[in-house]
Amino acid sequence: MERFVQELVERARSVVDAGRTRPVASDAIEPLHAPTFDGQALSYVTECVETGWVSSAGRFVDRFEDELENLTGMPSVAVVNGTCALEIALRTAGVGPGDLVACPSLSFIASANAIAHAGARPVFVDVEPRRLGICPEGLEQTLAKDWGAPIRAVVAVSVFGHPFDVERVVEVCSRAGVPLVEDAAEALGSLYAKRHMGGFGKLGILSFNGNKLVTTGGGGAVVTPDDELARHIKHVTTTAKLAHPWEYHHDQVGYNYRLPNINAALGCAQLEQLPGLLADKRRLAERYREALSDLAGAQVLWEPAKARSNFWLNGVILAPEELELSGDDELMELRARTLEALNDAGLQSRPIWHPLHLQRPFSDCPRGPLPVAEDLGRRIINLPSSAALGRLQSPAATAR
Ligand SMILES: Cc1ncc(COP(=O)(O)O)c(C=O)c1O
């Protein structure tokens, strides 16, 4: 076990060192994911401050939506964060109090929180061992079962930016007549069959949190191929105010969920950098794959067939059987030692989230069998994944 741990640390460190463009102090910590601010970030944000257009109206928030539409090929509505985006998407799909929503158990807790915010409860479904997305067979069985309340929507997540099994999930949802709402919070720039994630169901969402590939500080968006739904979402997320130069008339209970212009300004600057960021992420993932692929005990997570992942977070699946370790105690020891050694070496590394059905707020929610989520929840470790680590270095930088 110790030899594996040391080898993993050394190899991960070599990838990180190769990506550093400047010498760093020996006790510096390489973060799990740091944003990269280049180009116009400062000038666009400064323009907001200087002109006073910092809040829910302004040229950047409209432009950010237009640029997201160009990127994803769908109308996009910018909102305050991905969690609110998912709540509104679910409500728009018809989810309300007393309903159930099918949701993979291996996701960030925001997926389940948004279901609860919409007044519903998740019913947890297992995930696939390699893609990490919702398991189509498990979903089919879940949708066929009588849970005592209707399943009004299916949430499918592209974990770490790797697309779920789009074709089979879409087919299962359409056979059951249940709308698909994509949680593509981690998947900006990820494609399946050359189409952007978020657009395979009725609605999808993106996140621009500080830890994402493109950040607005905090922010999110709802995307949908349906123009009418996009107009409705823009209306309800901007207090449902009827258009008028000065009168305040609102036609329903609305939400104050619009992304502020100052956040969108940062987002516009970030989107200008997106092709470079995606290339850097891919380069970094390839370096990890090269460094770790022949290391017994760790399997590198990779993009699925027909998909193009944004490689938001790099990760390895611990494979204790390859180290001739067995049993729960040995796995937990391997996990603890690996995390400790990576973090002690200044490589900020985190385990994947604990499955949602094991989280206190959702522990009494209905669920099918979840063996893969429970297994992977103990075996996946994420490694430092900032885009800057994958940047091509100029000869001058490498010589320093
Ligand atoms: C899978 C997933 N869903 C939803 C969210 C919520 O996004 P936000 O943090 O912008 O609310 C996140 C991330 O933060 C996420 O990773």
Side-chain angles (χ1 to χ4, degrees):
M1 179 183 309
E2 252 341 277
R3 263 195 47 212
F4 162 78
V5 170
Q6 289 319 318
E7 193 63 30
L8 176 63
V9 169
E10 264 167 46
R11 293 184 190 202
R13 179 185 276 295
S14 73
V15 172
V16 167
D17 284 347
R20 282 177 162 156
T21 49
R22 278 185 232 109
V24 294
S26 59
D27 59 350
I29 305 235
E30 182 59 42
L32 186 69
H33 198 286
T36 307
F37 297 119
D38 281 333
Q40 301 301 313
L42 215 49
S43 97
Y44 291 172
V45 171
T46 304
E47 180 186 317
C48 295
V49 173
E50 286 179 350
T51 59
W53 290 99
V54 294
S55 198
S56 46
R59 79 177 183 104
F60 287 114
V61 62
D62 296 331
R63 179 175 146 189
F64 187 58
E65 289 179 332
D66 290 345
E67 288 177 6
L68 283 178
E69 177 162 354
N70 288 339
L71 174 73
T72 62
M74 291 169 278
S76 307
V77 183
V79 295
V80 286
N81 59 50
T83 311
C84 292
L86 189 54
E87 176 201 343
I88 288 294
L90 289 166
R91 286 184 187 274
T92 306
V95 173
D99 292 336
L100 293 172
V101 174
C103 174
S105 183
L106 204 59
S107 182
F108 181 53
I109 199 158
S111 306
N113 283 344
I115 294 170
H117 295 325
R121 296 174 84 209
V123 47
F124 292 118
V125 181
D126 211 3
V127 297
E128 290 193 295
R130 280 304 173 140
R131 289 174 196 264
L132 314 181
I134 194 164
C135 165
E137 290 82 22
L139 177 62
E140 189 156 33
Q141 284 157 17
T142 303
L143 294 179
K145 191 168 158 181
D146 180 1
W147 297 91
I151 298 182
R152 289 272 185 239
V154 171
V155 168
V157 184
S158 293
V159 174
F160 307 147
H162 300 306
F164 59 91
D165 188 342
V166 170
E167 279 161 40
R168 287 163 71 217
V169 170
V170 165
E171 193 195 311
V172 169
C173 290
S174 53
R175 255 207 316 269
V178 180
L180 171 64
V181 176
E182 268 189 67
D183 181 346
E186 302 173 1
L188 186 79
S190 293
L191 309 177
Y192 185 82
K194 302 197 172 151
R195 283 171 57 197
H196 201 284
M197 295 312 292
F200 292 96
K202 198 177 177 86
L203 297 134
I205 71 104
L206 301 167
S207 165
F208 306 107
N209 188 270
N211 63 359
K212 296 298 184 297
L213 183 57
V214 155
T215 184
T216 55
V222 184
V223 293
T224 170
D226 183 329
D227 291 337
E228 195 49 51
L229 284 187
R231 264 193 297 279
H232 164 77
I233 288 169
K234 179 134 178 204
H235 181 62
V236 295
T237 52
T238 52
T239 72
K241 182 180 178 296
L242 299 177
H244 192 281
W246 52 80
E247 300 288 359
Y248 283 85
H249 289 297
H250 305 258
D251 62 359
Q252 56 185 290
V253 178
Y255 299 82
N256 180 16
Y257 280 0
R258 183 113 181 110
L259 182 71
N261 196 53
I262 190 165
N263 297 81
L266 198 54
C268 289
Q270 289 260 283
L271 284 181
E272 290 170 3
Q273 310 289 319
L274 182 63
L277 292 172
L278 286 167
D280 294 345
K281 290 290 236 180
R282 179 163 289 272
R283 206 173 293 114
L284 178 62
E286 279 164 356
R287 288 186 195 151
Y288 273 125
R289 181 164 72 162
E290 205 175 305
L292 299 174
S293 60
D294 65 347
L295 178 63
Q299 297 159 354
V300 178
L301 283 167
W302 199 251
E303 69 192 341
K306 283 177 87 170
R308 193 158 176 89
S309 175
N310 67 2
F311 289 102
W312 172 53
L313 282 190
N314 290 286
V316 290
I317 308 183
L318 296 176
E321 68 287 356
E322 292 177 3
L323 303 172
E324 287 169 16
L325 300 174
S326 62
D328 220 44
D329 291 350
E330 289 200 310
L331 168 60
M332 294 320 273
E333 195 186 333
L334 176 68
R335 178 184 189 271
R337 272 299 300 133
T338 305
L339 284 165
E340 190 179 45
L342 285 163
N343 285 289
D344 283 354
L347 306 171
Q348 191 184 42
S349 303
R350 301 243 178 98
I352 195 169
W353 323 281
H354 290 292
L356 295 173
H357 66 284
L358 302 178
Q359 305 277 2
R360 197 181 299 171
F362 300 106
S363 58
D364 64 348
C365 289
R367 60 196 201 221
L370 302 166
V372 181
E374 289 194 354
D375 177 44
L376 291 181
R378 293 183 298 180
R379 291 204 290 132
I380 295 180
I381 288 180
N382 292 117
L383 300 168
S385 296
S386 304
L389 291 175
R391 193 169 280 187
L392 276 181
Q393 298 181 27
S394 65
T398 354
R400 257 203 305 260

